[in-house]
Amino acid sequence: MTEADLLAAIDRLCARHDVWHYHAAAHPVAPRYRGFPDLVLVGTERGCFRELKAESARVTVDQRRVGAMLRTVGWDWEAWRPADLASGRIETELAALSGRRPWGERCAP
């Protein structure tokens, strides 16, 4: 599954769970913003940032740096891969953004 296929599946799940999302990679990025996460997701309860990767692709140095910065200030950042879709992790996290399932530690306010 490609990153584009993963995004298409996430688009459908976001619609199902009423989660607003912005795909930052769809827009040109100035060099100073390299590493900004692919997705900004906001539900009625929480929000988070997600980097999308094909199964064998690596998170870049810039992406890890931005992810660490986001986490340092208490924001939720993770990478999602096709295996996360297959395992149900992505749907569980999206449902939790809108308060539809018990959450756990992800996407803290």
Side-chain angles (χ1 to χ4, degrees):
M1 174 180 272
T2 67
E3 189 176 313
D5 295 332
L6 179 59
L7 177 62
I10 291 169
D11 285 341
R12 290 188 297 275
L13 290 172
C14 283
R16 180 184 305 162
H17 294 287
D18 298 321
V19 172
W20 177 90
H21 64 292
Y22 172 73
H23 184 225
H27 303 280
V29 176
R32 72 179 286 192
Y33 298 112
R34 264 187 244 141
F36 190 84
D38 289 327
L39 289 175
V40 177
L41 300 126
V42 181
T44 58
E45 298 289 319
R46 298 173 171 88
C48 63
F49 297 89
R50 291 295 181 262
E51 186 63 45
L52 301 182
K53 289 293 177 189
E55 207 60 58
S56 61
R58 293 184 175 188
V59 176
T60 69
V61 171
D62 288 330
Q63 291 164 340
R64 283 193 305 271
R65 180 181 55 79
V66 171
M69 289 168 39
L70 292 169
R71 286 177 170 168
T72 296
V73 297
W75 293 355
D76 184 357
W77 175 93
E78 295 284 338
W80 276 344
R81 299 178 183 278
D84 297 316
L85 181 66
S87 73
R89 174 187 171 198
I90 292 174
E91 185 159 16
T92 298
E93 291 185 18
L94 290 173
L97 289 175
S98 291
R100 294 193 174 139
R101 291 189 191 161
W103 184 242
E105 298 178 18
R106 297 214 189 289
C107 291

